[in-house]
Each structure stands twice: as C-alpha cells, then as structure tokens.
Amino acid sequence: MRIPSTQALRALESFARHGSVWRSAEELHLTRSAVSHQLRLLERDLGFELLQRDGKGVILTPRGRKYANDVRKALIVIDDAGGRHSPASTGGTLTISCTSGFASLWLCTHIAEFQEKYPDISLRIVTPRKLDDVTAPGIDLFIAFGDGNWPNRAVDLLCEIEFTPLCSPVLLNKLGGLAEPKDILRAPLLHLVDFEDWTLWLALANVDNPDSERGIIFSDMNLVFSAAITAQGIAMGDKLTCRKAMRGGQLIQPFDLAIKSPKSYFLVTDYARIDHPAQLAFTEWLKSRLSQTRNA
C-alpha cells in the first residue's frame, strides 16, 4: 500500500485531538478547505472511511479513531528521532494535563523557572475533569492524583501526600481555639469530591461518633482552598500545595496529626513518549524542583 503523505497524517492527528477542522487548520497554518482536502485524500489512499456525519459537523469513525491513535504514536517516534539527531537545543510543544489544585497552588508558582531554562519549549497546561483522568486526547504528559493503576500507560510516582486539617486564624479565633481533635466538629468541614480524607483523619484522631459527612463538598481544590482561607470552614490540606499559604499565615495547622493519603501524584504518559526530549526535560525539572521544595 502506498504510504500516505505526512501532511495528511498530521491533519488527521490534529483533527483527532481537536475534534474540529477549523482548530486543526489554525494549528497547522492551513485553510479549513485544505485540511478537509487532506482528510479526503487520506480516506482515498486508505480505502476506508475516517469521518462520518454528526449533525452539522463530522466526527471520526471508530476505525478512524483507532487509526488516528496509531498515527499519533508513529508521528511521536518520527519527531523524537529528529530531536535526538538534531544539534539544536531542546524545543517543541508540550501539552500537560495537571490537577487544578497542584497546578494553581504549586506548578504555576514555579513554571517560569522551567520556561527560562527551556525557552524553545512551548508549554500548554490544561486541567482534567477528574483528578485521576488520563484519557483526554492531545495530552503529552499527565500529572494525575490517584492509586497508580493506569493500565497500558507508563506510570512514574511523583510524590506521596499527607493530609492534615488546615484553617484560617480568623476562624480559629472565632471558635475560641481548638484544644483537642473533637473540637474540629464545631466548624464546617470542607471536602474535596468525597468524605474519605476527613473520615480517615477523624478515625485516626480517635474522635468518638464523628460525623465526617457534614459540611460542604467541592469539586475543585481551589474552591476548598478559597473557602478555608476566608474562614468558611476547616479543610484537609497538604504541606506541599498549601506551603505558601501556611508560611504567609493565611492557613494554620491546629494539630500535628496527619494521615498518609491512599492516593499520590503520578506522571502518566504513553510508552511511545517516554524518551521525548521536551518531556524528559520537563520531568527532570519537575522532580528536581519538588525535591528542593520539600527540603526547603
């Protein structure tokens, strides 16, 4: 079979990531008609349909999605081969999915350091719908929070986390202090997604008849963090992402007792991308910077 043109394959890979012709055209610096033409030529060369009508637009057929996924892996190998044999400095585009709390409370406070070190790498940072979601298309590297079980992916432990109650000094004064763990129940509990962290901590603190399912549930760590700082309740936080707020006196730790989270932060990627130069550079910088933060 005749090998399709690289431009047609890149048009398909871009369309698979963006789901629209106009976004692909914008990324590839082509017209929409040119992208559509490339996709039609590719269908002709392959002998099967890649696209199907969906209302007023088009989407990939099931066979088209599988082929686009294989194409993406092949293009990664080709790009990596060029990078390994090029004398130029590390560059390219790197798209990272990072949980919103880690991204806003830690990564975004250090990311300029990486950009200064690698000015030729174009970074794009997005946040997932779920803390452990590693399924979004078009992502090169995921910083995910979960149990580490992501089959058919390369998984690398980034850091483990311990959670402890954190609250605003304003709320602490309003409560008249917290003499013992059971006093925490005098304030609203702030939860992220579910009640697991507070249930574990109250059990470890030997609080009798704890009502861990009281308070407010938030879908995003930034919301929990904002509510805690403004004295709306007590949150379960970690010393990594909340370090700046703790050092600035916005949040305080009323008790030394902490629980090890059953989940951790992991780096997750396709096996085909493990040796990608830009990704290796980011991973090395991230691990080094986290180590410096923990030891500071």
Side-chain angles (χ1 to χ4, degrees):
M1 185 182 71
R2 186 166 69 90
I3 298 176
S5 74
T6 302
Q7 187 175 28
L9 294 176
R10 290 196 179 279
L12 175 64
E13 190 276 335
S14 180
F15 178 81
R17 280 188 290 109
H18 295 297
S20 71
V21 171
W22 72 267
R23 287 185 178 176
S24 299
E26 186 177 67
E27 179 180 75
L28 299 172
H29 303 292
L30 297 172
T31 64
R32 299 180 194 182
S33 60
V35 171
S36 297
H37 180 65
Q38 289 295 331
L39 294 176
R40 287 195 298 271
L41 289 178
L42 187 56
E43 282 186 321
R44 185 197 66 187
D45 290 342
L46 294 173
F48 61 84
E49 291 186 348
L50 295 169
L51 308 172
Q52 63 185 26
R53 284 286 175 184
D54 181 45
K56 295 182 179 180
V58 293
I59 60 174
L60 289 172
T61 63
R63 190 174 182 181
R65 283 196 299 271
K66 292 179 181 179
Y67 183 74
N69 186 52
D70 289 340
V71 166
R72 181 170 186 266
K73 293 176 181 178
L75 290 175
I76 289 171
V77 172
I78 293 171
D79 288 341
D80 288 353
R84 284 193 295 270
H85 296 288
S86 172
S89 60
T90 301
T93 300
L94 187 64
T95 302
I96 301 165
S97 172
C98 182
T99 60
S100 61
F102 188 91
S104 63
L105 302 177
W106 191 88
L107 183 60
C108 289
T109 65
H110 298 286
I111 198 63
E113 177 183 289
F114 174 80
Q115 195 72 89
E116 183 177 350
K117 188 174 182 179
Y118 296 97
D120 294 328
I121 296 179
S122 177
L123 274 180
R124 179 172 177 258
I125 299 174
V126 300
T127 55
R129 292 173 296 176
K130 295 171 57 180
L131 299 177
D132 61 352
D133 181 20
V134 296
T135 62
I139 303 298
D140 300 312
L141 181 67
F142 295 87
I143 300 175
F145 189 70
D147 58 10
N149 183 28
W150 291 284
N152 304 317
R153 296 292 184 97
V155 180
D156 186 10
L157 177 65
L158 187 58
C159 60
E160 297 179 327
I161 293 296
E162 288 189 339
F163 286 122
T164 188
L166 297 175
C167 68
S168 163
V170 174
L171 179 62
L172 189 64
N173 290 334
K174 182 179 179 181
L175 296 172
L178 298 171
E180 51 186 329
K182 69 178 183 180
D183 293 338
I184 276 180
L185 298 178
R186 293 193 281 116
L189 302 183
L190 307 178
H191 306 273
L192 175 62
V193 180
D194 56 38
F195 306 108
E196 181 180 35
D197 297 332
W198 269 115
T199 299
L200 291 173
W201 189 88
L202 291 169
L204 185 64
N206 296 315
V207 175
D208 294 330
N209 302 315
D211 183 10
S212 61
E213 297 188 6
R214 56 191 292 273
I216 309 169
I217 300 176
F218 298 90
S219 64
D220 190 297
M221 186 58 198
N222 288 311
L223 303 179
V224 177
F225 186 72
S226 178
I229 285 181
T230 55
Q232 305 305 301
I234 303 177
M236 291 295 287
D238 66 88
K239 294 181 180 179
L240 174 64
T241 57
C242 298
R243 177 183 297 263
K244 184 177 180 180
M246 293 174 70
R247 285 187 171 181
Q250 294 172 294
L251 291 175
I252 59 175
Q253 181 182 355
F255 301 103
D256 291 333
L257 187 63
I259 57 167
K260 182 179 179 181
S261 172
K263 300 177 182 179
S264 303
Y265 285 106
F266 292 88
L267 292 173
V268 185
T269 189
D270 291 334
Y271 284 107
R273 289 201 62 86
I274 289 178
D275 295 327
H276 189 280
Q279 189 161 303
L280 284 174
F282 181 82
T283 299
E284 180 183 359
W285 169 82
L286 180 62
K287 290 182 175 181
S288 175
R289 196 67 186 79
L290 277 172
S291 179
Q292 293 174 37
T293 300
R294 287 193 294 265
N295 296 329

